[in-house]
Amino acid sequence: MHNLVEFLKKYNYWFVFVILEVVSLVLMFQYNSYHGSVWFSSANYLAGLTYEADSKFSAFMGQGAVNQSLTERNLMLEREVALLREQLTEEKQRNDSNYVYRGQMPLLSQYKLIPAKVISNSLDKSDNLITIDKGRYDGVHPDMGVACGNGVVGVVYMASGHYAVVIPVLNTKSNISCAIKSHGYFGYLHWKGGPSDVAYVDDIPRHAQFENGDTIVTSGYSSMFPSGIMVGKVVGSSDSDDGLSFSLKVKLSTNFANLRDVCVIDDAAVSEQLNLLRQATDSLKPQRNQ
């Protein structure tokens, strides 16, 4: 104990210096937006490298289960493809054989899918975030939609050179336009906290027709997602707070607890739409007197 006291007395100025340096750095990064953004970018890059290494190790350890799941899914997809081929053949025999190609291929050609892997994911916060291993150098930019094989995941929030942060459905700030597939009525998907497999579609009109088991898909009314991407199934409903609309309880089709492989949806028309919207917004702002 005596030696410890002597050591502290001898080097007390160094301890005070270190403490003051730490306090100065904290204040600089917290109250200066430029320094804060630099720190966030650097920290996000280092965290991305760490998460990526951890994700690769976890993927290697669970490779057997993943391969089994992929095998089962491939069998299901092969069966679905066979059924679709049969239906397409019958449709082509009954109708114009070029209809499918004229109507569907131009629509699908607008979208480019950028495959990515989830390297960081949280479920226990009100504002959960997902980090993926693709960034600006791979063509990923903010406001792009993200989906997986089971349905909607979220929207890209920000991107660095090699990584991107996604606001998933499981974030209270998420707001995705959705529709009841069988009836066409649309609303907005929100997560209110709680279980990671349940969200709510608000603003459904009072005259809308629906029932439990109806499928919820993206409406196509936003520039992030094309229409028809799976969201989930209706499992309940309630009145909105103002009593003017319905709120549908939805069982999400995406398993966020086991999310690993995703695709970023690159719509060639999105940039044009967003730029046009920004220009229109800027033109409506009051002009300052010259």
Side-chain angles (χ1 to χ4, degrees):
M1 178 60 71
H2 177 72
N3 293 334
L4 177 61
V5 172
E6 291 297 326
F7 176 81
L8 295 176
K9 286 182 178 180
K10 184 177 180 179
Y11 297 100
N12 63 336
Y13 296 105
W14 286 103
F15 291 132
V16 173
F17 173 78
V18 171
I19 292 173
L20 291 176
E21 283 292 319
V22 171
V23 172
S24 298
L25 290 173
V26 170
L27 292 176
M28 181 177 68
F29 288 119
Q30 184 173 1
Y31 295 102
N32 291 275
S33 59
Y34 172 74
H35 296 87
S37 63
V38 172
W39 167 256
F40 179 83
S41 299
S42 302
N44 185 48
Y45 178 74
L46 294 175
L49 292 176
T50 303
Y51 288 140
E52 183 176 13
D54 180 72
S55 177
K56 289 181 178 179
F57 178 77
S58 300
F60 176 79
M61 297 301 294
Q63 190 172 9
V66 172
N67 288 339
Q68 178 64 29
S69 176
L70 289 175
T71 300
E72 295 174 357
R73 186 161 184 80
N74 284 338
L75 291 174
M76 293 174 58
L77 290 174
E78 289 176 359
R79 179 55 181 163
E80 291 178 2
V81 169
L83 292 174
L84 287 173
R85 284 174 178 166
E86 295 175 2
Q87 295 175 4
L88 181 60
T89 300
E90 295 175 359
E91 184 71 15
K92 289 169 67 176
Q93 291 175 351
R94 289 196 301 266
N95 302 300
D96 179 8
S97 60
N98 293 322
Y99 172 79
V100 174
Y101 296 95
R102 289 204 313 266
Q104 299 300 317
M105 292 306 294
L107 177 63
L108 296 176
S109 66
Q110 296 180 19
Y111 302 99
K112 171 187 173 184
L113 299 182
I114 304 173
K117 288 191 177 295
V118 174
I119 59 175
S120 174
N121 185 16
S122 62
L123 301 174
D124 57 349
K125 301 177 177 61
S126 60
D127 294 323
N128 295 293
L129 295 173
I130 293 175
T131 303
I132 59 177
D133 66 348
K134 295 295 173 66
R136 291 186 180 273
Y137 296 155
D138 306 289
V140 177
H141 301 282
D143 298 321
M144 284 184 172
V146 182
C148 67
N150 294 323
V152 168
V153 173
V155 176
V156 176
Y157 175 56
M158 61 173 55
S160 61
H162 300 284
Y163 301 97
V165 176
V166 178
I167 293 182
V169 172
L170 304 184
N171 186 304
T172 56
K173 296 182 177 62
S174 176
N175 186 33
I176 298 174
S177 179
C178 299
I180 305 174
K181 184 177 181 180
S182 58
H183 302 289
Y185 300 105
F186 72 94
Y188 294 92
L189 184 70
H190 298 106
W191 186 63
K192 303 178 182 179
S196 62
D197 60 345
V198 173
Y200 297 85
V201 177
D202 299 325
D203 300 329
I204 296 295
R206 296 292 298 183
H207 61 273
Q209 299 178 359
F210 59 86
E211 58 185 18
N212 288 348
D214 280 349
T215 300
I216 301 296
V217 296
T218 54
S219 65
Y221 294 152
S222 71
S223 58
M224 286 78 170
F225 295 99
S227 61
I229 296 180
M230 183 70 174
V231 174
K233 299 282 188 179
V234 177
V235 294
S237 63
S238 60
D239 290 330
S240 63
D241 294 337
D242 56 14
L244 300 178
S245 60
F246 287 118
S247 177
L248 304 184
K249 183 177 181 181
V250 178
K251 176 78 170 179
L252 298 174
S253 59
T254 299
N255 184 2
F256 286 91
N258 192 31
L259 187 62
R260 188 166 300 277
D261 296 296
V262 298
C263 286
V264 181
I265 302 173
D266 182 6
D267 181 1
V270 168
S271 297
E272 181 179 354
Q273 294 176 17
L274 292 177
N275 289 334
L276 182 61
L277 180 59
R278 293 190 184 103
Q279 292 174 13
T281 301
D282 293 339
S283 68
L284 293 175
K285 293 180 180 179
Q287 299 293 326
R288 294 183 178 179
N289 294 327
Q290 299 295 328

